[in-house]
Structure formats: C-alpha cells, structure tokens
C-alpha cells in the first residue's frame, strides 16, 4: 500500500521493478557491498538492539530513541507482507505462511482485536500475497500478484470501510509499483517501459523513455520515473556489453520527458559487467524529489575490485545534484516514509529533521513464541504506514529467529513508540 511519498505517506522498504513487485530486500541486495559494515536489517545483539548513532540520550542518560513495539504476533511461521488502514479501528494486514503453498492470510483489526478474514470472493487468483493500496482517505484496494505476465486483467477489490467490492476495470498485466495522488489520479508500472494512469474512469497506457524501477507522484501532473538506460552518453561498451547508466523521466501532464541524469562509471581498469542504475525515487512533503541507486559490477572475477558506489541525488531546480551524505548508519540507507519529525529509512533507521541518525530499537519476542533467550533475532519490515489522521505508525514484517535446532520466522505487526 503506497499513498503519497511525503509526510503522512507510506512506504515499502524496497523498490519495485516494472512488471512485478520485489520484496523489501531489493535495496539490500543491490547495495549489499556498500552495506557490509553497516549491515542490512536489524542487528541480533542479545538485547535486541544497538545503541543509536547520535543524539539518543538526554542529560541524565534518558534514551530518546524511537522503538518498535509488538502490536500483534501471529501464531504461524512466516511473515506479514503488507499493512493498510483507514483509521485506528480499521486496519488490514496481509501475511504468508511458510508451508510451501501460496495461500495468504488476511487479518483485520476493528479497534479491539485482530481477526483472520477470508480473502474476498471477488479477488482474482493470486500466486503471491495480494498487495494493499491506499487510494485516498476513504478506500483501500487489494490486488493479486501472479506468475503470469499475460495481457489479461485480474480482478481487484475495494474496501470502503464496510465491505469489499470489485474495482471496475483494473489495468491488464502484472502491476508493479502503484502511486496514488488521489482516487482519480493513480499511476502504476505495468512493465519496464510502460506505465498506466487512472483518471477515475479509465486506465491509459503511456510509454516510458527508459527501463523503469520506481515511480513517485509529487502531485497532479508531476510524476517521476527512475531506472536505467543502455544507450546514449556514458553507455560505451565494456567487455562487449553496454555500461548501463542511471536514467530518470518526468511526466508533466502531457508526456514523459527524459531528463539529464548524472553518469556513474568506474575508472580504468573497469571491473567485469559494470552497470549503474537508480532503484528508488522519493518525494518529500515539501515537493523535493530524491533518487537512489548504485554503480556496481559482477564480483569475484578479478582480485583488485573497486568499491561499489552508492548514488544519492536530489532535484534542485532543473537539474539533479548530489545529496549531502547522511551521518553514521544512515549514510547508505534509502527512505521509505516521512513523518513530521523526519525520514524512516530501510533497515529500521530514522533520520530526524535536525540531522540526527537514530536506530529504531525493537523488543524481543516473548519466550512463549518458541524464541529462546539466547536466540538471534532480526526484525525485517516490508511496510511502514501512518494511520490516516493520527501520529500512529505501524509496520508489517517478521522477526527472523536464529537458534540451534529450531529457527523460524515470527510474523509481526509493530507500532512505533517515541520517547515523551
């Protein structure tokens, strides 16, 4: 579920390639070498947390770090993949069980308790857990994900706070990233080079000027697409293959226009199979647009390997410029959501508006779940979301438990707690 990317918006902790949703771990996989020192995900110290980078204690030693507290722990092995809400008493979550089948769990919270609900009859067949989308303030969409990449349209459903009903005329094919400015202004990726737009009555297909990994909607007629290109300046062949370069395009209400994007190339000798791309674009509440990616290569083929490069850009006027590097553990992190105090970053970090990099701490699982006191525990969140009209933040994912003889994944929904 993705609404606007700015304040009050929501985010997945990973990118989406056109034509199919990828998990939260995409950013970790792409930037793995860059994050070797920092780690990707939450640490597995015995107390379940690590001291934050800066500004976490007031005089007297009081900890000011935010913390994820358990909202709900499911009674099966697996994980939650999505969460969405219309209000404090109307929250939905999607989970999947590690049982070798593709069946999904749909849970609803009515303000008092979490209860499993059947998937709506009108929802199309789904090979992966279905995806929740926030469409304005009054409706949620639930859409299937399938292996097939055919041209047919699979049925979607809509929750209006009371019941599920069919979404009229959903777009054909496998939809990747979806960005909703409002119920009559929705963009979605349906392939690496195609995006569709919904105006409230019909979907219109548009052609993107480059391979696209992610979209961000700043507002009406102000949408960005980022990815990579294999032609043009900087793509001169290396070892017989083009050197892919970062690419970006802007929709101005009439057409997509490719815009000049900084190149990234390794110095000679160039390592095997190099390529640079953008995997995430993020719009702040004030309209500033940021983009993230990497300049990478195929590791293990040469002894003297260069350092991979993390690409972080921001839009300044009519051009892209380098972002200032964030401090500490936030340096190589990608934003997934924004609130009134700063940015939520992947891997459970928070960069506040004052420039402090804070590790979001977490609780440990109770021993009643089967997690032993000495077990390693890592919290992986697929989604973080602000409950509309509140300061409440919820997350969906799993705690990965490593212990001898009985490792497992505990599906968890978490709620953010900040120091008073």
């Amino acid at each position: 579920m993705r609404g606007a990317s700015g304040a009050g918006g929501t985010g997945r902790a990973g990118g989406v390639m056109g034509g199919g949703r990828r998990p939260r771990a995409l950013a970790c996989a792409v930037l793995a070498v860059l994050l070797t020192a920092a780690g990707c995900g939450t640490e597995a110290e015995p107390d379940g947390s690590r001291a934050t980078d800066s500004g976490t204690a007031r005089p007297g030693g009081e900890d000011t770090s935010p913390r994820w507290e358990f909202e709900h722990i499911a009674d099966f092995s697996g994980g939650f993949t999505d969460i969405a809400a219309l209000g404090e008493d109307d929250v939905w979550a999607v989970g999947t069980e590690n049982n070798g089948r593709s069946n999904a769990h749909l849970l609803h919270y009515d303000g008092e308790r979490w209860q499993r609900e059947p998937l709506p009859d009108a929802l199309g067949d789904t090979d992966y857990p279905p995806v929740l989308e926030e469409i304005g303030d009054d409706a949620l969409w639930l859409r299937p994900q399938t292996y097939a990449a055919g041209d047919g349209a699979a049925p979607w459903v809509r929750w209006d706070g009371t019941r599920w009903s069919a979404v009229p005329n959903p777009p054909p094919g496998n939809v990747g990233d979806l960005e909703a400015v409002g119920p009559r202004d929705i963009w979605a990726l349906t392939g690496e080079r195609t995006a569709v737009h919904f105006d409230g009555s019909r979907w219109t297909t548009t052609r993107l000027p480059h391979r696209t990994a992610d979209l961000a909607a700043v507002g009406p007629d102000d949408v960005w697409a980022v990815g990579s290109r294999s032609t043009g300046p900087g793509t001169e062949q290396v070892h017989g293959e083009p050197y892919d370069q970062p690419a970006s395009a802007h929709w101005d209400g009439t057409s997509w226009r490719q815009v000049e994007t900084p190149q990234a190339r390794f110095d000679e000798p160039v390592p095997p199979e190099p390529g640079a791309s953008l995997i995430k674009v993020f719009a702040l509440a004030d309209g500033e647009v940021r983009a993230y990616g990497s300049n990478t290569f195929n590791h293990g083929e040469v002894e003297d390997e260069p350092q991979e490069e993390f690409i972080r850009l921001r839009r300044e006027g009519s051009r892209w410029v380098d972002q200032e590097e964030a401090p500490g553990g936030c340096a190589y992190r990608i934003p997934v959501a924004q609130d009134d105090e700063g940015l939520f970053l992947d891997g459970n970090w928070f960069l506040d508006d004052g420039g402090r990099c804070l590790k979001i701490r977490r609780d440990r699982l109770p021993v009643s779940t089967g997690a032993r006191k000495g077990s390693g525990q890592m919290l992986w969140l697929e989604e973080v979301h602000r409950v509309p009209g509140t300061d409440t933040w919820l997350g969906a994912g799993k705690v990965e438990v490593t212990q001898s003889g009985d490792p497992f994944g505990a599906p968890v929904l978490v709620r953010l707690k900040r120091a008073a």
Side-chain angles (χ1 to χ4, degrees):
M1 167 216 46
R2 277 163 288 253
S5 300
T10 65
R12 304 196 193 280
V16 178
M17 297 301 291
R21 179 184 171 208
R22 289 194 178 185
R24 188 214 66 84
L26 174 64
C28 297
V30 173
L31 304 176
V33 173
L34 293 169
L35 296 174
T36 297
C40 195
T42 42
E43 291 76 10
E45 283 78 7
D47 68 350
S49 63
R50 169 188 280 187
T52 52
D53 272 16
S54 62
T56 61
R58 296 188 181 101
E62 182 182 352
D63 187 10
T64 62
S65 302
R67 189 179 196 90
W68 289 120
E69 295 186 339
F70 294 126
E71 169 76 11
H72 179 68
I73 304 173
D75 59 357
F76 58 88
S77 177
F80 284 105
T81 58
D82 217 342
I83 190 168
L86 291 182
E88 288 272 23
D89 59 354
D90 193 2
V91 186
W92 291 88
V94 176
T96 184
E97 189 169 355
N98 293 336
N99 58 6
R101 295 178 291 180
S102 60
N103 61 309
H105 294 253
L106 182 64
L107 276 75
H108 183 247
Y109 180 69
D110 61 5
E112 296 184 0
R113 65 191 182 103
W114 287 94
Q115 182 172 327
R116 185 172 178 183
E117 301 283 349
L119 290 175
D121 292 337
L123 182 69
D125 293 337
T126 182
D127 298 315
Y128 300 102
V131 180
L132 288 160
E133 305 286 0
E134 183 184 77
I135 308 298
D137 296 329
D138 301 320
L140 304 175
W141 286 2
L142 185 67
R143 58 182 177 87
Q145 293 190 100
T146 62
Y147 300 119
D151 296 328
W156 299 12
V157 292
R158 176 183 185 273
W159 173 256
D160 62 5
T162 303
R163 65 187 184 92
W164 292 102
S165 59
V167 172
N169 304 316
N174 270 338
V175 171
D177 188 21
L178 187 146
E179 300 288 334
V181 180
R184 292 178 176 81
D185 192 358
I186 301 169
W187 284 91
L189 282 177
T190 54
E192 285 190 334
R193 300 291 294 268
T194 57
V196 294
H197 179 254
F198 183 66
D199 63 5
S201 60
R202 67 189 183 97
W203 295 89
T204 302
T205 300
T206 64
R207 180 74 174 170
L208 293 157
H210 54 72
R211 294 190 303 274
T212 298
D214 196 33
L215 298 174
V218 183
D221 299 332
D222 189 0
V223 186
W224 287 89
V226 301
S228 62
R229 57 180 174 83
S230 299
T231 60
T235 63
E236 292 80 12
Q237 289 193 354
V238 176
H239 311 303
E241 297 291 336
Y243 195 141
D244 285 356
Q245 289 298 310
S248 60
H250 181 253
W251 174 267
D252 60 6
T254 303
S255 63
W256 288 102
R257 181 177 61 87
Q258 189 164 335
V259 301
E260 184 176 351
T261 309
Q263 299 174 28
R265 288 182 69 97
F266 292 108
D267 294 331
E268 296 289 345
V270 178
E273 302 178 38
S277 65
L278 297 175
I279 62 170
K280 177 71 175 179
V281 59
F282 190 86
L284 300 182
D286 62 4
E288 180 180 303
V289 177
R290 300 181 179 182
Y292 301 83
S294 66
N295 182 27
T296 185
F297 60 94
N298 188 21
H299 291 270
E301 295 193 20
V302 295
E303 291 186 3
D304 189 15
E305 293 187 340
Q307 180 68 42
E308 286 197 357
E309 299 172 2
F310 182 49
I311 301 171
R312 55 172 82 81
L313 305 172
R314 65 179 178 87
R315 196 72 180 165
E316 184 177 272
S318 61
R319 64 193 183 107
W320 290 106
V321 298
D322 289 335
Q323 287 184 49
E324 183 177 337
E325 183 175 310
C330 294
Y332 299 117
R333 299 294 173 178
I334 294 175
V336 297
Q338 181 184 13
D339 76 353
D340 299 332
E341 298 186 27
L343 294 172
F344 291 86
L345 309 179
D346 71 306
N348 297 320
W349 292 84
F350 189 84
L351 182 64
D352 76 12
D353 289 336
R356 295 185 307 165
C357 177
L358 308 175
K359 183 66 178 176
I360 303 178
R361 299 178 183 272
R362 60 176 173 82
D363 292 337
R364 286 180 61 83
L365 292 171
V367 294
S368 59
T369 62
R372 303 183 197 123
K373 289 185 176 180
S375 63
Q377 298 184 21
M378 293 185 292
L379 173 65
W380 299 94
L381 294 182
E382 295 281 350
E383 169 86 0
V384 293
H385 170 57
R386 188 179 195 169
V387 178
T390 75
D391 293 326
T392 299
W393 282 88
L394 301 174
K398 69 176 180 178
V399 173
E400 188 173 302
V401 179
T402 55
Q403 57 189 11
S404 60
D406 188 23
F408 66 96
V412 296
L413 302 172
V414 293
R415 180 184 295 262
L416 188 71
K417 181 179 180 180
R418 286 189 165 102

